[in-house]
Amino acid sequence: MALQQRFFSKKLNILIAHNAQECIAHMSVIAKFTCQPGNLAMQTKVSKVISQLSGKVAIQVLRQIGISQLQSEILLDCFGSLAAVVAADGENLHNSSVDSMTSNSILDFFREDRIPV
């Protein structure tokens, strides 16, 4: 019951569960990602995956969050990797030759209910 009280009070995007067993499995995964030391281990794994993505895959990831092909290429040319784009602050994004709407979209997406990478 403690997991339910902890996580059902938070705004989660969509978490599909077809039965109680899947629901418990999802809550368990969320707990692992948000509690020490599990979240640190996952942040390390995700950072490694993001840093190893090829340019084409990184562009596809940025396209999935609504960034145009051109803007995605500009971001990758400027920052060098998707990991650097994710870690960039507002000032660096605004200085990267992308428009303010794009930089705000990136900041909003990676700030909203995400585990920091």
Side-chain angles (χ1 to χ4, degrees):
M1 189 62 156
L3 282 176
Q4 291 171 336
Q5 291 173 345
R6 180 173 177 194
F7 295 112
F8 285 165
S9 63
K10 293 185 177 186
K11 177 190 168 224
L12 298 176
N13 289 335
I14 294 176
L15 200 58
I16 299 171
H18 296 97
N19 55 43
Q21 185 177 6
E22 286 183 8
C23 184
I24 291 169
H26 290 320
M27 288 189 297
S28 177
V29 169
I30 292 169
K32 288 177 187 176
F33 282 110
T34 58
C35 297
Q36 298 282 353
N39 68 343
L40 297 176
M42 188 50 61
Q43 287 176 14
T44 303
K45 289 179 184 178
V46 170
S47 294
K48 287 180 184 177
V49 168
I50 288 176
S51 66
Q52 295 172 358
L53 290 176
S54 70
K56 288 183 179 182
V57 174
I59 288 173
Q60 289 175 351
V61 169
L62 291 170
R63 297 288 312 268
Q64 289 298 312
I65 63 172
I67 310 301
S68 72
Q69 176 84 20
L70 178 62
Q71 297 283 0
S72 299
E73 290 172 1
I74 290 171
L75 285 166
L76 290 176
D77 286 344
C78 181
F79 290 102
S81 70
L82 183 59
V85 174
V86 171
D89 61 4
E91 184 177 338
N92 288 334
L93 286 170
H94 290 296
N95 293 334
S96 67
S97 300
V98 295
D99 58 51
S100 62
M101 190 169 103
T102 301
S103 60
N104 289 335
S105 295
I106 292 168
L107 289 172
D108 291 343
F109 180 82
F110 288 113
R111 213 180 284 150
E112 181 182 307
D113 293 327
R114 304 291 193 278
I115 298 170
V117 177

